[in-house]
Amino acid sequence: MMSLQEIKKSFLVSLWFMFLTFPIMVIKVNTIEQTIDWRWWRMAGVGLGAFCLSFVWRYAMARKEAGKKKAEDDNIVKVPLFQRLLSDRRFTIPGLVTSVALVVIFPFVFSWYQTGILITALIYVVVGLGLNIVVGLAGLLDLGYVAFYAVGAYSYALLNYHFGVTFWMALPIGGLLAMIFGILLGFPVLRLRGDYLAIVTLGFGEIIRLVLENWNEFSFGPSGIANIPKPGLFGLKLSLQESTIYLYFLMIGLALMTIFVVRRLQDSRIGRAWIALREDEVACQAMGIDKTRTKLSAFALGATWAGMGGVVFAAKTAFINPASFTIWESVIILCVVVLGGMGSILGVIIGALILILLPEYLRAFSEYRMLVFGALLVVMMVFRPGGIISGVRRIYHFEEPQQSTDNQKA
Amino acid sequence: MKPVLDVHQLTMDFGGLRALDHIDLQVNAEEIVALIGPNGAGKTTFFNCITGIYTPTKGDMVLTRPDGEASRLNGLKPNRVTERGMARTFQNIRLFQNMTVLENVMIGRHCRLHSGIPGAIIRPPANRREEKEVVEDSYRMLETIGLTQYVNEFAKNLPYGAQRRLEIARALATEPFLLLLDEPAAGMNARETNALDELILRLRSEMKVAILLIEHDMKLVMSLSDRIYVVDYGKKIAEGNPDAIKRNPAVIKAYLGEDIDA
Amino acid sequence: MDYFFELFLGGLTRGSIYALIALGYTMVYGIIELINFAHGEIYMIGAFTGLIVISVLTFMGWPTLAIIVMAALIAMIYSAAYGFTIEKIAYKPLRGSQRLSALISAIGMSLFLQNYVLLAQTSNFLPYPNLIPEWEWLKPYAHIVRPTEIVLYISTALVMVALTYLIKFTRMGKAMRAVAQDQEMSMLVGVDVNRVISFTFIVGSAIAALGGVLVMSHIGQINFYVGFIAGIKAFVAAVLGGIGSMPGAVLGSLVLGWTESFFTGYISSDYEDVFAFVFLVLILIFRPAGLLGRSDTDKV
C-alpha cells in the first residue's frame, strides 16, 4: 500500500493544496486596519493534512469501487450491518427497552437547556418525516419546504396575537393551513420535474420568507412576533423548566404519532403509488396511477407535518421572525432526509438526531461546526449516497412456493 | 362483435416529421395481433399514441370493452387508458427498480382498489381485507408468470428475462382485456422465447386477454399471431394472416429481405 | 429622462454582474446537468483572492493599474484551480449517481467553502479598494455611471465574444458541445470527457472570479457570505434564460437586471428580491425551458 508511487502521488496532492490554499490560508488581510498577517505555519498544516487525507481518500475510493464491482458481478443484494442488526430480535428488544427508558428519564436527569436541544431535534424528526414523504417516497425534490414550516409557525403566532388562539387549537389549524398551502404550491409545479421542480420550490420558499419580511402590516416584518405562549396544561401556570418538560413529552407524542402514520402510509396503496411515482413517472401512469392526485397528496401531506412542526417551534422559541425560515433551513431538513436514508423512517430519525445533536455537542469546536457539516455532506454523498439506512422494503411471507417448470434462470 | 381496439387514420407529426401516416388498425377480442416493421417505423410511437402518452395529430382511437361499452381514447391520460382496460409493457424495461417484485405487481392493482389516505392510516376492516387481497392476487399473478422465487427480491436485481416477464405480470395486474407488449422477446435466448410463446398463448386462453405485440423476432411473430400489420416509415404497407404476410412482396422488400420459413 | 437612463444603466450593471456568474452555472449545467451550488463561493473566493493580491501588492508599492490587472489575473487563476479541485472531489465521484446526491454534495461544498474562508480570514465586512482609475470625461456623469461599471460592461461583452468563439470555432468547444449532448457517446468517439468537464469548470470559475474582483471593487466591500446571495440571483438569471444555454444566461441576466432595476426604481424597493423569485417561478411554470432553452423531452 505504501508504495513509492503512492507516496509520490500524495506528495503532489499535498503540494497542490498548499498552492491552492496559499492566499486564503496564509495571507490574512485586514483592510480596515490595513494589516497583512502572514501565517506560514498554516502551510505546514495544510501540507501534512492533505498528504495524509489523500491516502485515506484513495483507500476509501478503492473500497467503494470494489464494493460496486462485487455487487455487479455476483448479483447479490448487500444487506448492510445495520439492517441485519435491526431484524435480529435479540438486539431490537433490549435496544427498544433501553431507548424508551432513556427517553422517559432524560428531561429529569439533564438540564432544561439540554432538553430544549432534544425538543429541537424532535421537531426536526417530525418535519423530516414530513419531507420524507415528499422527497423520500414520492421523489419530488422540494427545496422550499421551509415555507410550510413558516406557515405553521406564523399561523400560531398571528392567531394567538389577534384572537388569543391557544396552542392546542393552533396545532391542527397550523397543520391544515400548511396542507392548503401544500396543495396550492403543488398545482403549478405538477408538470415540472427534477431540477426545475427544485428551483421553483426554492423560489416559493424564498417568496414566502421575503413576503413575511416585507409585509409589515401582516407579519410585523423583520422584527417578528414575540411572547408566543407555550402550550398550557389545563390552565395551570408552569415554570420554564416544567413547561419545557411538558413540551418535551408533547413532542415525543407527536413524533410517535408521526412515525405511526408514516409507517401506515408507506405500506399502503398510496404509499406504493408515491414510490412508483418516484421510480418512474411514465410507467407509474401507465399502471393506472393518477399522477396529479398522487403528487398533490404527497405535497399536501408533507406540508401538514411541516406546519405542525412550525407551531411547536413557535411555542418553543416564543419568538419567531423571517430569519428563521431561510433556504438553509430547507437544506438542513433535506439533509436530514438524505443522510438518514430516503424513505426510511428510522433513517430520518437518526439523521435528525445526528444533524441536530452533533453540532450542539461539538460546541467546543463550535467555530468548525459548519465546516465539518459541509464536509460531512460531501463525504456522505460520495461514499454512502443511500444514506445511513437505505432501501428497506417490506418482506412478505408465503407458504412453500410451488415448483414452476418454465422459469429456470438461463 | 366490435373490435376491442379500433384505430382509424391515426397520424402523428413531430414538427416536420410524420411518424405515423393515417394508420388503420383493429384488434378483436382474444386475438393476437402483431405490429412489425423495420426500426424507426413508428411502432412504439403508435403505442404511445393509443395509450395517451402522445397526443396524435389526427385520427380516432376507440377502445371497446367485451361487454360492449366503448371509450374514445383521444385525449385520455395514460392512467385513464389503463383504467379502461388497456395495459402495456415498454421497449426499454421500466420497472420500479427499488421496489420488490411483489410490490411491482401490487402497483398494477392500484387502479382496481379503492383505499385512500384515511383508510391507510386508520385501517378499518374493509381496508385490511383489500390489502390482504392485493397481496394474494399479486402472488397468484407471480405464480402464473412463474416468478415466485423472486417474490421479495428488488426488481433491479432480477436477471433480464425475469425482468421482462415481471413487466408483463405488472401490466396484467391491472386487469386489462387488451395487452400491449412492446418487444417482449428482446434480448431473450431461444429457450426463453419459447417460454414466452407459451405464456402469451396461455394469457389469451386462460385470461381472455387480447394481445397487440410489437416484435422483431419473426419466428415468434409467425408462430403466435392471428393477424399481422406491417408498417414502414409510418405507413401501413400490409395487413393479413402470417402466410399472406410472408408472401407479400412489399413486406419482403421493405423488411424481411429473404424467405422466412416458420 | 435622466432617471430612466440611470435605471437603465443600473440594470445593465446588475445584468453584467449576474451574467459573469450565471455563465459558470449554465456551462456546468449544460455539461453535467448539475446545479453547482458552490459556484457562488468560487465567485467569492475569486474576489477575496483579488483583495489579498491587492493588499500585498499595494504594500509592496506597485503601480495601481498593474495591481488591478494582477489581482484580476491571479484571482481568475485561483478560482479556476478551486473549480477544478471541487469538481474532482465532490462531483466526479458522483457522476452517474442520482441527481439528488450530487445536489447535496454541491450544497455541502458550498457550506464548506463559505466557512473555510470565514475561518481562514474573518467574518467582518472588509472594505474593498477600488483601483479602477477615474476618467476625467466621465466625471460629470458620475451619478449615472462610474468607470468600474464601464469596465464591467466591456468585460462582460469581451467574455461573451470569447466564449462564443470558443464554443463555435475551437476543437475544445466542439467537444464541449458533444459532451453536453451525450456524454457516453462522446466518450465512445474518443473525446476525453474528464478533460472537457474540467475545462468547463475552469473557464466558468475564471469568469466568475473576474466578475468577483470587478463587482467588489464597485460595491466597495466584501464578506464571506456574498457568494451565496449573488449566486442565487445569478442562478435565477441562468434558469430564466434557459439553463444550459450561454446566450440564455446572458439574456436572462440582462432581463433580470433591468426588470429589477426598473421595478425598484419606479415601483418599490422593498420587494426587490421577491420580484426576482416571482419572475423565476412564473417563467418556469409557463416556459420551463426558459427564454432560450431547449425543452426536455422524455423518450419512452
Side-chain angles (χ1 to χ4, degrees):
Chain A
M1 244 272 289
M2 282 294 218
S3 70
L4 194 61
Q5 232 213 356
E6 302 259 326
I7 297 186
K8 205 172 74 165
K9 253 197 265 184
S10 290
F11 183 65
L12 289 173
V13 166
S14 127
L15 277 183
W16 172 256
F17 273 96
M18 289 204 284
F19 158 73
L20 193 70
T21 60
F22 178 67
I24 295 194
M25 279 291 242
V26 172
I27 313 176
K28 182 168 160 133
V29 298
N30 191 329
T31 45
I32 305 176
E33 290 152 29
Q34 303 288 333
T35 61
I36 305 181
D37 228 337
W38 294 80
R39 311 185 144 181
W40 294 101
W41 54 268
R42 281 188 176 181
M43 232 357 49
V46 168
L48 206 61
F51 188 72
C52 300
L53 282 179
S54 87
F55 278 105
V56 175
W57 182 267
R58 227 177 297 129
Y59 174 68
M61 278 299 210
R63 271 197 68 179
K64 179 181 158 189
E65 289 301 311
K68 254 199 282 187
K69 259 208 97 212
K70 194 156 188 282
E72 268 171 27
D73 289 341
D74 297 345
N75 218 21
I76 41 172
V77 185
K78 298 195 310 154
V79 184
L81 175 68
F82 224 74
Q83 272 145 240
R84 268 185 277 138
L85 273 179
L86 285 176
S87 33
D88 189 347
R89 278 291 142 107
R90 294 173 302 165
F91 181 75
T92 48
I93 306 265
L96 205 62
V97 170
T98 8
S99 310
V100 170
L102 276 174
V103 161
V104 170
I105 299 175
F106 190 93
F108 302 106
V109 172
F110 290 87
S111 74
W112 155 83
Y113 179 69
Q114 300 276 14
T115 313
I117 299 176
L118 208 53
I119 295 178
T120 307
L122 286 169
I123 295 180
Y124 276 94
V125 167
V126 170
V127 174
L129 285 174
L131 184 62
N132 184 44
I133 294 178
V134 182
V135 175
L137 291 181
L140 302 167
L141 194 43
D142 187 349
L143 283 183
Y145 194 62
V146 74
F148 307 123
Y149 193 49
V151 165
Y154 266 88
S155 59
Y156 177 37
L158 289 172
L159 285 174
N160 176 273
Y161 181 83
H162 291 295
F163 306 114
V165 170
T166 63
F167 174 82
W168 289 105
M169 284 200 283
L171 195 58
I173 295 179
L176 191 66
L177 279 177
M179 181 193 281
I180 294 174
F181 265 83
I183 298 179
L184 287 177
L185 195 128
F187 260 115
V189 305
L190 286 174
R191 285 180 304 136
L192 299 175
R193 263 181 303 179
D195 294 340
Y196 290 122
L197 178 63
I199 301 162
V200 172
T201 49
L202 186 127
F204 271 129
E206 275 297 280
I207 290 174
I208 300 246
R209 181 183 68 85
L210 290 165
V211 165
L212 286 172
E213 202 165 274
N214 287 301
W215 195 3
N216 293 320
E217 302 80 36
F218 174 68
S219 64
F220 303 99
S223 39
I225 305 175
N227 295 320
I228 305 172
K230 299 251 195 311
L233 183 59
F234 308 118
L236 286 174
K237 274 218 138 256
L238 298 167
S239 74
L240 190 56
Q241 259 85 327
E242 289 168 338
S243 65
T244 307
I245 297 184
Y246 180 41
L247 200 58
Y248 169 79
F249 282 109
L250 195 153
M251 266 319 290
I252 297 276
L254 188 63
L256 286 175
M257 184 201 82
T258 309
I259 295 173
F260 175 76
V261 171
V262 173
R263 272 206 88 183
R264 286 251 159 125
L265 286 173
Q266 248 185 356
D267 275 323
S268 70
R269 176 173 174 252
I270 186 76
R272 289 190 296 267
W274 283 332
I275 301 181
L277 185 73
R278 175 191 78 197
E279 291 295 308
D280 192 325
E281 203 173 289
V282 173
C284 160
Q285 272 199 303
M287 291 304 123
I289 296 175
D290 186 337
K291 195 175 65 163
T292 305
R293 271 174 107 190
T294 311
K295 279 190 185 178
L296 284 180
S297 67
F299 269 112
L301 232 50
T304 313
W305 265 283
M308 291 198 285
V311 173
V312 180
F313 174 71
K316 174 187 180 277
T317 53
F319 163 73
I320 57 169
N321 69 353
S324 326
F325 305 110
T326 61
I327 297 181
W328 282 115
E329 272 306 309
S330 288
V331 167
I332 293 178
I333 306 173
L334 182 64
C335 290
V336 165
V337 175
V338 176
L339 286 184
M342 302 224 287
S344 156
I345 294 179
L346 187 57
V348 170
I349 296 175
I350 296 178
L353 291 176
I354 292 182
L355 242 47
I356 304 302
L357 297 181
L358 217 59
E360 287 293 327
Y361 294 135
L362 290 180
R363 274 216 185 259
F365 313 100
S366 68
E367 284 192 323
Y368 298 91
R369 257 189 341 169
M370 292 313 263
L371 190 77
V372 171
F373 190 41
L376 187 71
L377 287 180
V378 176
V379 167
M380 270 301 277
M381 284 302 107
V382 170
F383 293 108
R384 208 177 162 79
I388 298 175
I389 300 186
S390 49
V392 192
R393 294 301 304 157
R394 184 156 159 205
I395 311 255
Y396 292 87
H397 297 286
F398 302 93
E399 307 103 51
E400 285 289 78
Q402 292 142 1
Q403 287 292 77
S404 305
T405 49
D406 58 337
N407 64 349
Q408 298 307 312
K409 206 164 99 171
Chain B
M1 260 259 285
K2 278 176 78 179
V4 292
L5 179 67
D6 193 351
V7 176
H8 186 68
Q9 299 283 289
L10 187 65
T11 306
M12 183 72 212
D13 291 330
F14 291 110
L17 179 69
R18 177 151 283 194
L20 294 173
D21 199 343
H22 298 90
I23 304 271
D24 290 324
L25 185 148
Q26 283 93 33
V27 179
N28 298 306
E30 296 181 36
E31 237 193 341
I32 298 182
V33 176
L35 180 62
I36 68 174
N39 274 315
K43 311 186 292 294
T44 300
T45 308
F46 181 81
F47 270 17
N48 290 342
C49 282
I50 61 177
T51 54
I53 293 179
Y54 296 157
T55 305
T57 316
K58 267 191 290 187
D60 293 301
M61 316 172 285
V62 178
L63 187 70
T64 308
R65 286 227 305 250
D67 65 17
E69 187 185 319
S71 327
R72 214 174 111 95
L73 289 170
N74 295 62
L76 278 189
K77 289 208 285 197
N79 54 294
R80 287 255 176 270
V81 171
T82 307
E83 272 176 37
R84 301 288 165 96
M86 180 163 72
R88 70 172 293 179
T89 65
F90 293 90
Q91 190 176 17
N92 302 315
I93 296 180
R94 296 187 87 124
L95 289 172
F96 304 122
Q97 301 288 351
N98 288 304
M99 297 177 88
T100 63
V101 166
L102 187 73
E103 284 175 329
N104 267 270
V105 180
M106 283 164 80
I107 293 269
R109 301 291 304 145
H110 182 100
C111 59
R112 305 295 169 210
L113 307 173
H114 307 286
S115 297
I117 293 177
I121 300 177
I122 306 175
R123 299 277 167 107
N127 172 285
R128 287 182 198 267
R129 228 182 309 129
E130 199 182 70
E131 279 291 303
K132 195 155 169 287
E133 274 173 22
V134 171
V135 174
E136 284 170 2
D137 290 343
S138 305
Y139 189 75
R140 256 180 275 131
M141 181 64 68
L142 288 179
E143 285 178 335
T144 308
I145 300 285
L147 288 169
T148 47
Q149 77 265 46
Y150 297 117
V151 65
N152 285 310
E153 197 66 60
F154 275 78
K156 64 184 169 193
N157 292 328
L158 257 53
Y160 181 77
Q163 284 192 358
R164 282 229 166 259
R165 280 182 297 140
L166 179 57
E167 266 218 356
I168 299 177
R170 185 180 64 172
L172 282 174
T174 66
E175 284 179 26
F177 53 85
L178 172 59
L179 183 61
L180 308 174
L181 299 174
D182 199 339
E183 297 194 34
M188 284 190 178
N189 63 30
R191 187 156 46 118
E192 289 169 325
T193 311
N194 282 331
L196 183 67
D197 191 313
E198 274 177 38
L199 177 65
I200 294 180
L201 288 173
R202 254 196 309 143
L203 292 182
R204 190 251 297 270
S205 60
E206 284 173 23
M207 302 183 83
K208 312 288 182 210
V209 178
I211 300 196
L212 176 60
L213 102 133
I214 294 177
E215 236 331 305
H216 284 297
D217 184 330
M218 280 305 121
K219 196 150 164 274
L220 186 67
V221 169
M222 294 300 169
S223 144
L224 272 179
S225 321
D226 300 324
R227 278 186 307 124
I228 303 177
Y229 287 85
V230 188
V231 294
D232 194 13
Y233 291 111
K235 286 201 180 63
K236 177 166 75 174
I237 61 174
E239 172 191 345
N241 63 44
D243 282 324
I245 293 295
K246 263 192 272 180
R247 286 187 249 280
N248 187 313
V251 173
I252 296 175
K253 182 167 163 229
Y255 184 35
L256 295 177
E258 53 197 83
D259 249 53
I260 261 256
D261 258 9
Chain C
M1 197 53 208
D2 231 18
Y3 189 53
F4 175 85
F5 203 52
E6 185 184 325
L7 289 180
F8 178 82
L9 287 180
L12 192 61
T13 305
R14 285 169 187 261
S16 304
I17 298 174
Y18 296 149
L20 290 176
I21 309 175
L23 279 167
Y25 270 121
T26 226
M27 283 170 78
V28 166
Y29 190 85
I31 279 253
I32 55 175
E33 295 202 327
L34 167 77
I35 303 173
N36 182 9
F37 261 93
H39 190 63
E41 271 58 58
I42 293 184
Y43 162 81
M44 179 269 294
I45 286 179
F48 243 107
T49 310
L51 180 65
I52 293 173
V53 172
I54 290 176
S55 302
V56 171
L57 294 184
T58 312
F59 179 74
M60 297 194 338
W62 281 37
T64 324
L65 197 58
I67 295 184
I68 188 70
V69 169
M70 268 316 260
L73 234 52
I74 295 185
M76 287 169 79
I77 293 176
Y78 265 93
S79 277
Y82 272 95
F84 174 79
T85 312
I86 290 168
E87 193 268 324
K88 288 272 180 271
I89 297 181
Y91 304 149
K92 181 153 181 258
L94 289 169
R95 266 186 237 163
S97 304
Q98 285 206 344
R99 299 275 268 274
L100 188 54
S101 310
L103 201 69
I104 303 270
S105 182
I107 292 174
M109 202 28 117
S110 166
L111 197 54
F112 182 82
L113 289 173
Q114 274 181 38
N115 283 278
Y116 157 68
V117 173
L118 164 64
L119 291 171
Q121 293 286 326
T122 173
S123 62
N124 295 327
F125 276 86
L126 292 177
Y128 206 102
N130 189 344
L131 299 180
I132 310 241
E134 290 286 335
W135 296 317
E136 281 307 315
W137 58 272
L138 207 53
K139 278 249 170 71
Y141 304 103
H143 64 287
I144 300 183
V145 71
R146 288 168 45 211
T148 327
E149 293 176 280
I150 305 233
V151 174
L152 195 60
Y153 305 151
I154 299 179
S155 305
T156 311
L158 285 177
V159 164
M160 267 163 46
V161 169
L163 275 184
T164 312
Y165 179 78
L166 170 74
I167 296 293
K168 281 216 159 92
F169 299 114
T170 64
R171 245 182 111 211
M172 181 50 104
K174 208 190 284 189
M176 285 168 79
R177 274 183 284 148
V179 174
Q181 293 250 348
D182 190 333
Q183 205 178 82
E184 220 177 307
M185 202 55 209
S186 306
M187 197 161 52
L188 291 174
V189 299
V191 172
D192 187 339
V193 170
N194 285 330
R195 266 183 91 204
V196 172
I197 293 180
S198 292
F199 183 78
T200 310
F201 269 87
I202 288 175
V203 172
S205 303
I207 297 174
L210 177 64
V213 173
L214 291 175
V215 173
M216 294 307 142
S217 303
H218 175 63
I219 295 182
Q221 67 176 10
I222 190 174
N223 168 264
F224 75 97
Y225 202 60
V226 294
F228 185 67
I229 310 166
I232 298 260
K233 289 280 191 69
F235 177 62
V236 171
V239 171
L240 217 69
I243 193 122
S245 154
M246 285 204 254
V250 179
L251 181 63
S253 303
L254 289 173
V255 169
L256 183 65
W258 273 319
T259 39
E260 261 186 3
S261 183
F262 285 116
F263 182 79
T264 54
Y266 286 128
I267 303 178
S268 138
S269 66
D270 276 340
Y271 288 91
E272 175 184 336
D273 293 335
V274 190
F275 181 75
F277 286 106
V278 172
F279 208 27
L280 169 78
V281 166
L282 287 176
I283 287 267
L284 281 184
I285 290 174
F286 293 108
R287 206 188 146 77
L291 295 169
L292 295 182
R294 336 171 275 232
S295 15
D296 222 355
T297 40
D298 194 25
K299 207 160 194 269
V300 179

